[in-house]
Amino acid sequence: MERLELAVVQLEEAKGMIEKGRVPHLRVAYLLIDSVTELILHRVVQAELQQQGMLKKLLSIYEEGTAHGMPADPEKVATIKAQILSKADLKNIDRNFDAKVGLLVRRKVLDEALGPVLEKLHEYRNEMYHRDKLRHEIIRPATLIYFDSACTVLEAYRQMFISYPSELGPEICRFTEGRRPGFGEAMDLPKQIAAQLRREVGLDLPQVRSALSAYLDARLDQMVEGLEFIEDNLGGPALVRGDALRLVQANLAANPTLEQVRGRKYQYSKADLEQWRSRTAALETIDDKHALVSEYAAIEDSFKLLEGKIMDAVLQVDREVQFQIDAARGK
């Protein structure tokens, strides 16, 4: 019960930060949600892997029997082997968030649709915590989605051992009406808590969907504006629309001519920008929350590399423009 209480306290604190609603509070909420999600994933994975030792012993018995002329059922042996993980896999799962999610999805503990959602939201946590990169306009919808997803993960949590402290904390008591739950009730408590917290915070899907669409549209607009800025301000031969998209992808270290740059094929084209815009508009037709975030994540991942190239090039051109302005002013 103390383990469950630790998770619930973090979710309750995150809920309070969400209700405050300001960006600094939402950032704190997001970090709390990510922390508790990884904690619950760790515990669910532990429960899934607790039979590793027993399975290895059982496989050894079957292999020994086969060596002595008593072969085991091949299907049974194959099933056992499929459940035994290598030391490298176990180490990766212990250390890696996405590996935990992948294991639980493969074993159908978590819905397959939830996998990419959790992976993208955890990636955002890293951008927020380590690099302070996450844009303010996405923080609220991302926090609401992550809270809802954390509740889904909590539903999969099964307490392997239930021990009761001398006194239950208020965060647990409010879900049990102050009573010390019996064993059966305690086993169902994570689901009950998850359902209630999800109702209390709420996920306004149309609002979140619109926010995600607007966020992607704004970034695509910024990419197009960046390309136009490069074409309008880069010194040298006159550029036409489409040249900047080629230049940001070209290997300029080889000093190619503009004609050579125009004559080569690149990973991204104008058609990709148009496709990303169409896919973003189509988000408004998705009613399933996990499908919505999965498609949102897929769109973002597909243009993120090009976005970085454009932003880097814009900064370089802007620095050169400022240098020329300062030189003209005699600075």
Side-chain angles (χ1 to χ4, degrees):
M1 193 63 68
E2 289 178 340
R3 288 187 162 198
L4 177 61
E5 184 178 43
L6 179 59
V8 171
V9 167
Q10 290 187 68
L11 286 170
E12 288 279 32
E13 290 298 318
K15 174 173 167 279
M17 293 294 104
I18 291 171
E19 288 168 351
K20 291 181 186 297
R22 296 178 59 245
V23 167
H25 298 115
L26 291 170
R27 283 174 57 88
V28 173
Y30 201 95
L31 297 177
L32 282 169
I33 295 165
D34 181 80
S35 172
V36 74
T37 301
E38 187 153 19
L39 175 66
I40 299 169
L41 287 173
H42 172 70
R43 290 177 180 168
V44 176
V45 164
Q46 279 186 318
E48 275 295 302
L49 298 180
Q50 65 179 327
Q51 294 184 332
Q52 285 289 294
M54 184 193 73
L55 290 170
K56 288 178 182 178
K57 288 180 182 178
L58 188 58
L59 180 61
S60 177
I61 291 170
Y62 282 147
E63 289 176 341
E64 188 176 333
T66 300
H68 288 83
M70 296 179 292
D73 181 347
E75 288 188 12
K76 188 177 292 186
V77 171
T79 300
I80 293 171
K81 283 184 176 179
Q83 295 180 69
I84 296 175
L85 301 178
S86 68
K87 287 184 178 179
D89 285 339
L90 290 171
K91 186 175 182 180
N92 186 41
I93 290 167
D94 184 57
R95 295 181 174 183
N96 188 285
F97 183 97
D98 290 358
K100 290 182 178 69
V101 173
L103 173 72
L104 297 178
V105 167
R106 289 193 300 275
R107 297 197 171 187
K108 303 188 184 306
V109 177
L110 294 179
D111 190 325
E112 183 179 0
L114 184 62
V117 176
L118 291 173
E119 290 168 6
K120 172 57 67 173
L121 294 170
H122 182 66
E123 178 188 319
Y124 273 180
R125 177 268 182 194
N126 290 336
E127 291 185 3
M128 183 189 299
Y129 182 72
H130 295 298
R131 295 180 287 279
D132 195 25
K133 283 178 60 178
L134 201 61
R135 304 180 190 205
H136 286 182
E137 58 267 35
I138 198 62
I139 290 177
R140 180 169 181 80
T143 303
L144 291 174
I145 293 166
Y146 210 174
F147 190 92
D148 186 271
S149 299
C151 290
T152 302
V153 174
L154 181 59
E155 289 174 342
Y157 178 47
R158 295 292 176 269
Q159 302 178 82
M160 290 185 287
F161 307 101
I162 299 177
S163 61
Y164 293 92
S166 57
E167 184 177 348
L168 292 178
E171 290 80 9
I172 291 287
C173 282
R174 85 177 187 92
F175 297 101
T176 65
E177 299 177 348
R179 295 178 292 100
R180 185 181 292 265
F183 180 79
E185 186 181 359
M187 291 296 289
D188 291 336
L189 199 53
K191 273 192 174 184
Q192 177 191 331
I193 292 172
Q196 185 169 331
L197 286 172
R198 184 183 281 117
R199 287 194 302 270
E200 290 172 352
V201 171
L203 180 64
D204 186 334
L205 190 60
Q207 186 180 66
V208 167
R209 188 169 51 212
S210 295
L212 295 179
S213 297
Y215 178 60
L216 291 179
D217 268 328
R219 288 171 67 179
L220 290 169
D221 287 343
Q222 190 175 24
M223 289 166 65
V224 172
E225 290 164 5
L227 292 171
E228 291 174 354
F229 175 82
I230 293 168
E231 289 161 351
D232 292 341
N233 292 278
L234 188 66
L239 301 181
V240 298
R241 293 298 183 237
D243 281 345
L245 184 56
R246 301 182 188 97
L247 284 167
V248 299
Q249 300 178 78
N251 177 18
L252 300 182
N255 293 317
T257 65
L258 185 56
E259 290 307 313
Q260 287 174 327
V261 169
R262 287 172 175 165
R264 291 172 183 157
K265 295 288 185 182
Y266 300 98
Q267 182 177 355
Y268 302 104
S269 67
K270 182 182 176 182
D272 292 299
L273 290 166
E274 293 170 349
Q275 182 194 59
W276 294 328
R277 190 76 75 176
S278 297
R279 289 175 67 184
T280 297
L283 290 177
E284 293 291 348
T285 66
I286 300 177
D287 292 324
D288 179 85
K289 60 188 177 186
H290 293 155
L292 170 68
V293 181
S294 293
E295 175 61 5
Y296 162 84
I299 297 169
E300 183 185 53
D301 289 344
S302 64
F303 71 60
K304 194 160 53 174
L305 178 61
L306 178 61
E307 181 183 38
K309 291 177 181 290
I310 293 172
M311 295 304 106
D312 288 344
V314 166
L315 284 174
Q316 292 178 38
V317 173
D318 185 57
R319 287 194 196 102
E320 181 61 27
V321 169
Q322 291 303 315
F323 176 78
Q324 296 296 337
I325 292 172
D326 291 343
R329 290 175 176 174
K331 291 186 177 181

